[in-house]
Structures are given as structure tokens and as C-alpha cells.
Amino acid sequence: QVQLVESGGGLVQAGGSLRLSCASSISIFSINTMGWYRQAPGKQRELVATITSRGNSNYADSVKGRFTISRDNARNTVYLQMNSLQPEDTAVYYCNANRYSLSWWGQGTQVTVSS
């Protein structure tokens, strides 16, 4: 059983930055892949970024160059640094953890970007 607690969401103006945090109840080194997903109202959930236990990361084209996913094993925390935010980035952002065939999700945190 893994619990993921997210924080850092809020309201920001276009061009601004936010950093989301996802604290895991277990060592993230034991989790194969962690990632961030987002879902806007009335739209499907989409992948934002992932990072493996080895530190390899991948990004959706829509956020590439603006967002950075990172991890701090000592704090069992994964971060999503979001720069140059745009109104289309507005969504609920969810933290995800995968361990082989198992998957866990955080509660989500709202990110709203005003124009």
C-alpha cells in the first residue's frame, strides 16, 4: 500500500511558475516509475511527465521545455517544476506511482493559470 500526498497547486498568472510536490509513504527508490498526470474539466486525463527509479524522465510534448520532473529520495518526494505556465495548463494534477503491475494515485491538486 502506497499513499501519495500532493501539494503546491494554486492560482498563478500566465508566465508564472509553480512547483508541485508528491510525498510518498514508502521509499520512492522502491517504485519503478513515478509521474504526473493532469485532467481538465470535461477532458481526458493525460500524461505530463514520468521519472524512473534510475532518474530517467519523459515529458509530454505540450510541456517539454517548460516542466521539469525530479525526485528527492531522502524525502521520498517527487516534484514537478512548472515554468512559463499558460492558461491551457489549467487542470487537476495527479501524482502516480507504479510498481510492476501495481499503481497508486494521489488525490490531485488544482492548478489554475489566469491570462
Side-chain angles (χ1 to χ4, degrees), residues 10-59:
L11 175 65
V12 65
Q13 294 181 346
S17 299
L18 285 173
R19 188 175 76 161
L20 306 182
S21 299
C22 174
S24 172
S25 62
I26 67 169
S27 173
I28 61 173
F29 186 78
S30 300
I31 302 174
N32 298 126
T33 304
M34 298 195 69
W36 289 94
Y37 294 73
R38 67 186 182 186
Q39 186 171 23
K43 296 185 177 181
Q44 292 182 311
R45 184 174 59 187
E46 64 176 351
L47 173 70
V48 176
T50 61
I51 187 167
T52 69
S53 60
R54 302 182 188 276
N56 298 318
S57 59
N58 289 287
Y59 299 90

Side-chain angles (χ1 to χ4, degrees), residues 19-21 36 68-70 72 75 77-81:
R19 188 175 76 161
L20 306 182
S21 299
W36 289 94
T68 302
I69 188 171
S70 62
D72 187 333
R75 294 180 171 85
T77 301
V78 173
Y79 303 96
L80 184 67
Q81 178 66 47

Side-chain angles (χ1 to χ4, degrees), residues 3 11 20 22 35 69 89 95 110 114:
Q3 292 184 350
L11 175 65
L20 306 182
C22 174
I69 188 171
D89 294 317
C95 181
Q110 176 70 47
S114 61

